[in-house]
Amino acid sequence: GAGVSQSPSNKVTEKGKDVELRCDPISGHTALYWYRQSLGQGLEFLIYFQGNSAPDKSGLPSDRFSAERTGGSVSTLTIQRTQQEDSAVYLCASSFQGFGYTFGSGTRLTVV
Amino acid sequence: AQTVTQSQPEMSVQEAETVTLSCTYDTSESDYYLFWYKQPPSRQMILVIRQEAYKQQNATENRFSVNFQKAAKSFSLKISDSQLGDAAMYFCASGWTGNTPLVFGKGTRLSVIA
């Protein structure tokens, strides 16, 4: 596609439920990133995929968070047993070499 | 570890005037990239300008330009002839060469006054 697509745009879930957030990167972009943006905060790195290499999971805040990228394209971020502190905007981006990211519009997650 | 600091949580500028947003960074890498991103209320992060650290010439994109001071590890963004559409959050970011994750500052909220 022409841009990075994220779905859903907004998600409200009950505390304790699992959620899946989807990211469809730009075709041909080898790298894919997930960031979390909490209210009034900058972007917090979560996880990074580069080609067929093992992902860099160093930013995942707990073992409730996981992500996968299938076929080097679409990625899914899964949050298990959601907590209220997980409420944030989750941004996905893709890139090709060092030319900067192209971001999706994010998923706003609200845990009630 | 890399760090990026934006010391101005909020800034305002009159329409048609010039404003400068500050950013400092810290990195042990000799080769890296610096970026400014704009995030309007739509949440869509938009790349404004990009600077390669090995280039001494300051990057310019239309009304946007940077003042890159490598020794001081400073990377400020100047917006000339400010327009109402420039109102947004602006994030400074740095990263190594290649595709390693960018480190972002906490952002500066820019208001443009008509």
Side-chain angles (χ1 to χ4, degrees), chain A residues 33 35 97 101 103 105-106, chain B residues 37 39 43-44 50 99 102:
Chain A
Y33 314 80
Y35 283 80
Q97 298 183 352
Y101 295 174
F103 281 88
S105 295
Chain B
Y37 283 88
Q39 186 182 43
R43 289 200 313 246
Q44 180 76 53
R50 168 180 176 263
N99 290 320
L102 296 181

Side-chain angles (χ1 to χ4, degrees), chain B residues 40-109:
Chain B
S42 66
R43 289 200 313 246
Q44 180 76 53
M45 294 277 284
I46 302 164
L47 177 62
V48 175
I49 201 164
R50 168 180 176 263
Q51 174 85 42
E52 293 93 336
Y54 66 87
K55 290 187 177 178
Q56 294 187 346
Q57 185 173 6
N58 290 323
T60 298
E61 288 288 341
N62 301 314
R63 298 183 294 106
F64 299 87
S65 62
V66 299
N67 183 5
F68 176 44
Q69 302 289 328
K70 191 172 184 178
K73 296 184 177 177
S74 170
F75 182 61
S76 60
L77 175 70
K78 185 172 83 171
I79 307 174
S80 303
D81 185 26
S82 297
Q83 301 175 0
L84 295 177
D86 295 333
M89 283 289 288
Y90 286 82
F91 292 95
C92 178
S94 73
W96 300 358
T97 56
N99 290 320
T100 53
L102 296 181
V103 175
F104 287 83
K106 292 195 172 185
T108 297
R109 181 175 301 281

